[in-house]
Amino acid sequence: MIPFPFPSPPADIAPPGRLLVLACSATKRADPGYMPAIYRYDGPLWQTLRATDPQGSMARVAFLSAHYGFQDSAVPIANYNSRLTFELAKRMIAGGMTTRWPRPPSPRSPDTWGMHPGAEIASMSRHGREPFHDIALVGGHLYLDVMRAFLPGFIRLKGIVENPEVTEINGPIGMMRRDLREWLQRGAPGNAS
């Protein structure tokens, strides 16, 4: 159980170089207002993440969402209900590093909403001073397609090293939870890669 009011997101004490990109979750806390994504999402993989790494010491965590795009898990988000479709995944891939998410509510609105993946990875990697070298991509097939497509852009922006170690976690939920736990534990203090 997560206490209310919500604690600050886990401290940025993860070992340098480890990045977990986790698909959003259909199961979300319904609390009103905004809260950090790491607490808003409440599906099995997010529960495994919080139980295995409650201090945020094993990896930096980002998420991929049909509504919010690619973001740091510390970003406060509202409750929402959007599903990643094949068409939306294609649009995200085509938009690459420079398309902002969430999209403006109206096509006539200025495109100043949200954040684009390039800016987010730059911030998370301290503008290339601490690039990631050990990456876990976790989610369903469409999410993995988008995550994979973003990797070359992240490398060009120096947020990820050339030829990173990339682990993909997909399959039955029990196996995904086990594999996520094992990947996180490899980054535990004393086990850092």
Side-chain angles (χ1 to χ4, degrees), residues 16-80:
R18 300 191 87 231
L19 174 65
L20 167 64
V21 183
L22 190 53
C24 66
S25 168
T27 305
K28 298 171 191 71
R29 292 183 59 99
D31 304 45
Y34 287 80
M35 71 177 70
I38 196 164
Y39 301 126
R40 172 70 69 191
Y41 295 125
D42 208 26
L45 295 170
W46 288 89
Q47 292 174 15
T48 299
L49 166 63
R50 290 190 302 262
T52 305
D53 190 14
Q55 302 304 313
S57 63
M58 298 175 186
R60 290 290 306 268
V61 180
F63 67 93
L64 182 67
S65 155
H67 182 71
Y68 286 101
F70 175 85
Q71 300 262 340
D72 188 316
S73 69
V75 169
I77 63 171
N79 194 9
Y80 69 94

Side-chain angles (χ1 to χ4, degrees), residues 22 116 165:
L22 190 53
H116 53 80
E165 180 179 337

Side-chain angles (χ1 to χ4, degrees), residues 55-157:
Q55 302 304 313
S57 63
M58 298 175 186
R60 290 290 306 268
V61 180
F63 67 93
L64 182 67
S65 155
H67 182 71
Y68 286 101
F70 175 85
Q71 300 262 340
D72 188 316
S73 69
V75 169
I77 63 171
N79 194 9
Y80 69 94
N81 187 16
S82 296
R83 187 176 178 94
L84 185 63
T85 64
F86 178 75
E87 288 303 315
L88 184 54
K90 279 184 13 183
R91 284 182 31 224
M92 289 179 120
I93 291 168
M97 297 294 98
T98 59
T99 299
R100 295 173 181 264
W101 297 92
R103 301 301 300 143
S106 162
R108 291 186 289 269
S109 297
D111 194 9
T112 56
W113 291 70
M115 181 63 72
H116 53 80
E120 199 68 15
I121 194 67
S123 175
M124 292 182 76
S125 67
R126 291 174 175 62
H127 302 277
R129 288 189 306 276
E130 295 180 18
F132 298 104
H133 61 84
D134 186 5
I135 319 296
L137 307 177
V138 184
H141 293 289
L142 285 176
Y143 287 92
L144 288 178
D145 289 346
V146 176
M147 292 173 191
R148 272 188 229 107
F150 282 179
L151 288 179
F154 292 163
I155 291 168
R156 276 192 309 279
L157 293 169

